[in-house]
Amino acid sequence: MTTTVATPLQPTDRTTVRRGKDRAATDREILHEVLRAGMICHLGVLMGDAPMVLPTAYGLDLDRGPDGTIYLHGSVAARSVVAAPDQTICVTVTHLDGLVLARSAFHHSVNYRSAVIYGVPRLVVDADEKLHGLTRIVDHLVPGRSHGTRAPNRKELAATAVLALDLTEASVKLRAEGANDEEVDLDLPHWAGVIPLRLVADTPITNPDCDLLVPAHIRTRSHTLGAPSDD
Amino acid sequence: MTTTVATPLQPTDRTTVRRGKDRAATDREILHEVLRAGMICHLGVLMGDAPMVLPTAYGLDLDRGPDGTIYLHGSVAARSVVAAPDQTICVTVTHLDGLVLARSAFHHSVNYRSAVIYGVPRLVVDADEKLHGLTRIVDHLVPGRSHGTRAPNRKELAATAVLALDLTEASVKLRAEGANDEEVDLDLPHWAGVIPLRLVADTPITNPDCDLLVPAHIRTRSHTLGAPSDD
């Protein structure tokens, strides 16, 4: 697997990938692809003396700030969101693409794409940017969804927290190949290969209290994610 | 969605789920199901003054220790593994089960199952337990795989780090239902429902340097994960 380095990220000591440097794709385009393809991130926040790692939804605005912005969704009551704006947080988006089965246990691995972003996030307080961030989060899950839903009212906006984090200190790492066994193991009577994995959608399920047809933006999203065509 | 509470976990202040208490399924059986079904976890470790969140493979031994043990895989060169044994870490396993599209942007959500475990891990130094932990990690990815691969030799064992963490301080949270809109929004002309998501396997890909048939344990695993039957 080769990756071209187009626009290098700005790795710090933290985001310099020390292990498997050949897997560190310091390419901002690949970072964007990994983030675009993901649906949830894992947010790491220091709570007291221990890290807390929780999944949350996110959205992107790659044109905001010098390196683009990731918006993170939270409740204002969530401890992680309360603690986050005062500290460096870590946001990780991982795609598991396959199980790599080698002839030796040692060379078992997984194929994956992973983006890691560090920074001190801003708690978004400006009403316009907050709405913008929430729109990006909803449209990240289903492109076009923000036009097919009721926008948040003032009370809902007040109950929602949005964190903004610059995509400046980031790294992306991936593995996308077969099993790499030792030369001496190649003739062992053990199978080697990959079980490919992917996240797929099934046919959308309309709410029992809804009698509307599944709209185009929902069908498009589920088909893009591999759901069988039903029309 | 209802969950029965059979064997309560031992929640501390950290693992008491404050938001959405109705979604906190404090049931050890559900914790085990979530962990069994997962393939990678996100490991949170404090590095300097910031949390680092990285994906890694894991295995389970639910009979070891009072509450069972999760084994985490690492290279001895990985910074996260070097730092972890001296501190409380956080291990999170998340399944994304669906996108929940409500009539209002505010009530958009995801269906998911998530397990969070805290504790100070042991760096496994005993050779027998290290081999045991690695076997559990390999067999977690593909049940039976440890019998279809070459066991690690001394050099490989020395290059591999295994962390053991008790499943004592743990919480599990899930959402598994349709969109929950405000009563006043039910007649809005916006579709509400769920796009179900699942991780599926495709047909195993044999390594170019391997001329063996795909063995039964690999076929079973890929079929269990939804790959089409090819025999």
Side-chain angles (χ1 to χ4, degrees):
Chain A
M1 181 214 67
T2 54
T3 53
T4 42
V5 178
T7 313
L9 306 180
Q10 295 167 10
T12 61
D13 185 57
R14 266 194 299 257
T15 50
T16 301
V17 179
R18 296 195 186 169
R19 298 180 48 250
K21 285 205 183 198
D22 53 333
R23 287 185 205 157
T26 49
D27 185 330
R28 197 153 281 275
E29 278 307 308
I30 297 177
L31 173 74
H32 294 173
E33 280 176 35
V34 169
L35 294 177
R36 277 197 205 98
M39 284 186 271
I40 57 166
C41 64
H42 279 83
L43 167 63
V45 175
L46 185 62
M47 299 291 296
D49 61 350
M52 169 184 271
V53 179
L54 294 177
T56 194
Y58 68 91
L60 299 170
D61 184 347
L62 299 179
D63 296 321
R64 185 170 290 249
D67 300 300
T69 296
I70 183 169
Y71 288 109
L72 306 171
H73 179 267
S75 155
V76 290
R79 287 169 293 173
S80 55
V81 169
V82 173
D86 293 327
Q87 56 163 278
T88 300
I89 63 171
C90 180
V91 174
T92 301
V93 173
T94 305
H95 304 270
L96 181 60
D97 295 327
L99 305 179
V100 179
L101 296 319
R103 295 163 181 88
S104 62
F106 183 73
H107 284 294
H108 277 58
S109 186
V110 294
N111 282 336
Y112 68 98
R113 291 160 290 148
S114 184
V116 178
I117 307 147
Y118 289 97
V120 179
R122 283 186 296 117
L123 182 65
V124 177
V125 288
D126 178 80
D128 287 344
E129 191 186 1
K130 195 167 181 178
L131 188 58
H132 173 71
L134 287 171
T135 301
R136 290 300 173 110
I137 292 168
V138 165
D139 283 342
H140 187 84
L141 292 178
V142 179
R145 181 61 187 166
S146 62
H147 298 297
T149 189
R150 173 177 68 70
N153 58 36
R154 283 176 66 181
K155 188 180 159 196
E156 291 169 343
L157 272 180
T160 309
V162 177
L163 296 174
L165 182 63
D166 290 335
L167 297 177
T168 303
E169 187 180 341
S171 64
V172 58
K173 199 174 169 188
L174 53 86
R175 186 191 195 283
E177 54 192 351
N180 290 327
D181 273 301
E182 303 293 329
E183 191 79 24
V184 69
D185 289 334
L186 292 181
D187 292 330
L188 288 178
H190 301 314
W191 183 82
V194 173
I195 299 179
L197 297 171
R198 60 198 164 94
L199 192 70
V200 299
D202 286 315
T203 304
I205 300 170
T206 299
N207 242 42
D209 59 11
C210 177
D211 56 10
L212 301 176
L213 293 176
V214 179
H217 66 279
I218 298 289
R219 278 185 283 125
T220 299
R221 180 56 161 159
S222 64
H223 294 166
T224 304
L225 291 168
S229 181
D230 52 359
D231 41 23
Chain B
M1 179 213 68
T2 55
T3 53
T4 42
V5 178
T7 312
L9 304 181
Q10 295 167 10
T12 62
D13 185 59
R14 266 195 297 255
T15 50
T16 301
V17 178
R18 295 194 187 171
R19 295 182 48 252
K21 285 205 184 199
D22 53 332
R23 285 184 206 159
T26 49
D27 185 330
R28 196 153 282 275
E29 277 307 307
I30 297 176
L31 174 73
H32 294 173
E33 280 176 33
V34 169
L35 294 177
R36 277 196 206 99
M39 283 187 271
I40 57 166
C41 63
H42 279 83
L43 166 64
V45 175
L46 186 62
M47 299 292 296
D49 62 349
M52 168 183 273
V53 179
L54 294 177
T56 194
Y58 68 92
L60 298 170
D61 184 347
L62 298 180
D63 296 321
R64 184 170 291 247
D67 300 300
T69 298
I70 183 169
Y71 288 108
L72 306 172
H73 179 268
S75 154
V76 290
R79 287 169 293 172
S80 55
V81 170
V82 173
D86 294 327
Q87 56 162 277
T88 300
I89 64 170
C90 180
V91 174
T92 301
V93 173
T94 305
H95 304 271
L96 181 61
D97 295 327
L99 305 179
V100 180
L101 297 317
R103 295 163 182 89
S104 62
F106 182 73
H107 284 293
H108 276 60
S109 186
V110 294
N111 282 336
Y112 68 98
R113 291 161 290 149
S114 185
V116 179
I117 307 147
Y118 289 97
V120 179
R122 284 185 296 118
L123 183 65
V124 177
V125 288
D126 177 79
D128 286 344
E129 191 187 0
K130 196 168 181 177
L131 189 58
H132 173 71
L134 287 171
T135 300
R136 290 300 173 110
I137 292 168
V138 164
D139 282 343
H140 186 84
L141 292 178
V142 178
R145 182 61 186 167
S146 62
H147 296 298
T149 189
R150 173 177 68 70
N153 58 36
R154 284 177 65 181
K155 186 180 160 196
E156 290 169 343
L157 273 180
T160 309
V162 177
L163 296 174
L165 182 63
D166 290 334
L167 296 177
T168 303
E169 188 181 340
S171 64
V172 58
K173 199 174 170 189
L174 51 87
R175 186 191 195 282
E177 54 192 352
N180 291 327
D181 272 301
E182 302 294 330
E183 190 78 25
V184 69
D185 289 334
L186 292 180
D187 291 330
L188 288 178
H190 301 313
W191 183 83
V194 173
I195 299 179
L197 297 170
R198 58 196 165 95
L199 191 70
V200 300
D202 286 315
T203 304
I205 300 170
T206 299
N207 242 41
D209 59 12
C210 177
D211 55 11
L212 301 177
L213 293 175
V214 179
H217 67 280
I218 297 290
R219 277 185 284 126
T220 299
R221 179 56 161 158
S222 64
H223 294 167
T224 304
L225 291 169
S229 181
D230 52 358
D231 39 23

